[in-house]
Amino acid sequence: MKLIDRYIIKELLIPLLSGILAFTVILLGSTVLFNLIGEAVKYNIPFNTVLFIIILKLPFVMAIAIPMSTLFATITVFGRLASDLEILALRSNGISIIRLLIPVFFVGLFISVTNLWFSEILIPKSASTAQKILQNYRNTNKPTIQSNINITEYKDNLPYRIINIAEKKGLTFKNITIAEYEKGYLERLIRSKSGKWVKHGGWVFFDGIMHIFQSSNQDKISVINFKKEFINIDINPKHLNKNKKSTEEMNQKELKQEIQFLTKTGKDPIKLIMELHMKNAIAFSSLIYCFLGASMGLKPHRKSSAMGIGLSLIIIFIYIILMAIGNGLGLSKTISPIIAAWFPNIIIGITSIFLVKKLAST
């Protein structure tokens, strides 16, 4: 690493950390504390538990604050370098704008990968733990048994399996009825007193009866009584829980499983598909912000931190508007979900490239 690279990275470090701290505190108060305090009063949650939940919520808040802080840091640092004529001195010694942006690229890439790790590993675990703690206080005196669960699976836009579960507790069921169809005709009817889910396999049913209807002869019915019967039903009972995980609590693998489940049961998974792609898009917004912040900071009148914060907030507001537009286009299926999720990054990325090229040519 050359001296100029170390210098720029060192200069970026302090405003980046101070930005993370400032934006985290602001976002924590506006997105977490207000609702959490209401929950604490309503369910009589102890102060130390509230404090622990706040700590568990910090990774989620920091994941939002980090891209903002990256933008603030690059605007502030390059604004100061330009105002103090350091950029002019470097360029007079043959160092181009593009060369100055090389360490910025690696800083942005490192921050983006770190943010992706936050959203994939740290945030789902911490958010899930926080939700479980809150749920324990909410459900202190509530029953854990679910009743009258209905599931319909589709194939070629036709229902091919309808399941009714009278009672569900954890991974076990009572009084199950399953009707399986082939091209709209009833093919098999299964009734069972109890059953359970077998991990990485399917469902096992006990003490039941199975009616098999032959398509060639509707009057002929085969009846089979069974003590134990395995049926390959690729539905995990966790998808049947009333209190399902939020997208914040799920990593990409879990989101894909939930999308698959919704597709199988005839529901539109477009919202979760958008959430899946937006996790990556938001994580890598830091890389885009690095170039935009550097190009916008290269003006002598943009030296102060206050100006950096102001510009950062304006750009973030524009990013949120672009995100809302992209989200709307994706949910309405006007454009591909992946393009819709990356729409703000694409627009800001193109703008950044244009500004950098313009600065490099001057």
Side-chain angles (χ1 to χ4, degrees):
M1 188 184 294
K2 293 190 176 181
L3 180 63
I4 186 64
D5 298 324
R6 292 198 300 270
Y7 178 66
I8 291 175
I9 292 172
K10 183 182 175 182
E11 288 294 307
L12 284 170
L13 190 60
I14 293 175
L16 178 64
L17 294 176
S18 61
I20 291 172
L21 179 62
F23 284 117
T24 298
V25 171
I26 293 168
L27 290 169
L28 192 65
S30 59
T31 61
V32 175
L33 285 181
F34 183 78
N35 291 330
L36 184 56
I37 290 170
E39 294 258 342
V41 173
K42 184 177 179 180
Y43 297 107
N44 196 26
I45 303 174
F47 175 76
N48 59 338
T49 304
V50 172
L51 192 60
F52 183 56
I53 293 171
I54 290 172
I55 293 169
L56 290 171
K57 288 285 187 180
L58 273 177
F60 171 72
V61 177
M62 287 180 66
I64 302 172
I66 286 172
M68 299 179 181
S69 307
T70 305
L71 179 63
F72 165 71
T74 49
I75 289 176
T76 302
V77 168
F78 278 85
R80 187 197 66 75
L81 292 175
S83 294
D84 292 346
L85 303 180
E86 290 186 40
I87 296 294
L88 183 62
L90 290 167
R91 294 191 70 179
S92 66
N93 281 280
I95 299 174
S96 66
I97 293 292
I98 302 298
R99 176 63 187 85
L100 290 173
L101 293 178
I102 290 176
V104 175
F105 168 78
F106 284 106
V107 168
L109 184 62
F110 174 77
I111 293 170
S112 294
V113 171
T114 302
N115 224 12
L116 187 63
W117 178 80
F118 263 59
S119 65
E120 185 67 10
I121 306 295
L122 193 59
I123 292 174
K125 289 182 179 178
S126 62
S128 183
T129 304
Q131 188 61 26
K132 284 176 182 176
I133 293 170
L134 286 171
Q135 206 62 47
N136 284 338
Y137 282 96
R138 292 172 187 155
N139 297 337
T140 301
N141 299 314
K142 292 183 180 179
T144 58
I145 297 175
Q146 291 177 248
S147 59
N148 196 28
I149 299 170
N150 293 290
I151 312 158
T152 303
E153 291 188 79
Y154 289 82
K155 185 186 290 184
D156 301 325
N157 295 322
L158 288 173
Y160 80 96
R161 182 183 286 133
I162 299 174
I163 305 170
N164 176 266
I165 302 170
E167 285 186 9
K168 171 185 172 292
K169 185 176 182 180
L171 302 180
T172 60
F173 323 103
K174 286 185 179 179
N175 299 325
I176 310 118
T177 302
I178 301 173
E180 295 182 337
Y181 296 83
E182 182 64 34
K183 296 180 180 179
Y185 293 97
L186 183 62
E187 186 177 59
R188 189 165 65 161
L189 183 67
I190 305 162
R191 296 181 67 189
S192 175
K193 289 182 180 180
S194 63
K196 66 178 182 179
W197 184 68
V198 181
K199 192 175 182 181
H200 305 306
W203 293 12
V204 176
F205 299 95
F206 305 97
D207 301 319
I209 185 169
M210 183 186 305
H211 295 79
I212 301 173
F213 302 88
Q214 296 186 9
S215 56
S216 58
N217 186 357
Q218 292 292 321
D219 294 329
K220 189 173 181 179
I221 303 172
S222 300
V223 180
I224 302 172
N225 290 284
F226 61 85
K227 286 290 182 183
K228 181 180 178 181
E229 183 72 21
F230 174 85
I231 300 177
N232 186 22
I233 300 176
D234 188 22
I235 295 178
N236 191 319
K238 70 180 181 181
H239 295 298
L240 311 180
N241 293 336
K242 290 181 179 178
N243 299 312
K244 289 188 176 182
K245 283 185 176 181
S246 63
T247 52
E248 180 188 339
E249 298 171 72
M250 290 189 279
N251 56 30
Q252 293 194 36
K253 182 181 178 181
E254 290 171 323
L255 272 171
K256 288 175 182 177
Q257 288 174 346
E258 189 67 22
I259 289 166
Q260 187 180 29
F261 170 73
L262 290 177
T263 304
K264 279 187 176 183
T265 53
K267 297 174 184 176
D268 190 353
I270 186 63
K271 188 174 180 180
L272 287 183
I273 293 172
M274 284 296 300
E275 291 283 353
L276 175 66
H277 293 305
M278 285 181 74
K279 276 179 176 281
N280 294 327
I282 291 171
F284 279 91
S285 64
S286 296
L287 182 59
I288 307 298
Y289 278 154
C290 272
F291 288 100
L292 182 64
S295 59
M296 294 194 72
L298 288 170
K299 300 292 180 182
H301 63 277
R302 291 175 185 164
K303 180 180 178 180
S304 69
S305 296
M307 182 63 75
I309 292 173
L311 281 172
S312 300
L313 292 175
I314 291 169
I315 294 167
I316 290 162
F317 180 69
I318 294 169
Y319 186 90
I320 291 170
I321 292 173
L322 292 173
M323 187 185 293
I325 293 170
N327 196 45
L329 292 171
L331 291 176
S332 63
K333 300 181 182 179
T334 305
I335 59 176
S336 166
I338 189 168
I339 295 174
W342 284 79
F343 178 72
N345 289 5
I346 293 168
I347 298 298
I348 290 180
I350 292 170
T351 305
S352 302
I353 291 169
F354 172 77
L355 291 173
V356 169
K357 288 183 73 175
K358 187 177 178 180
L359 286 167
S361 62
T362 57

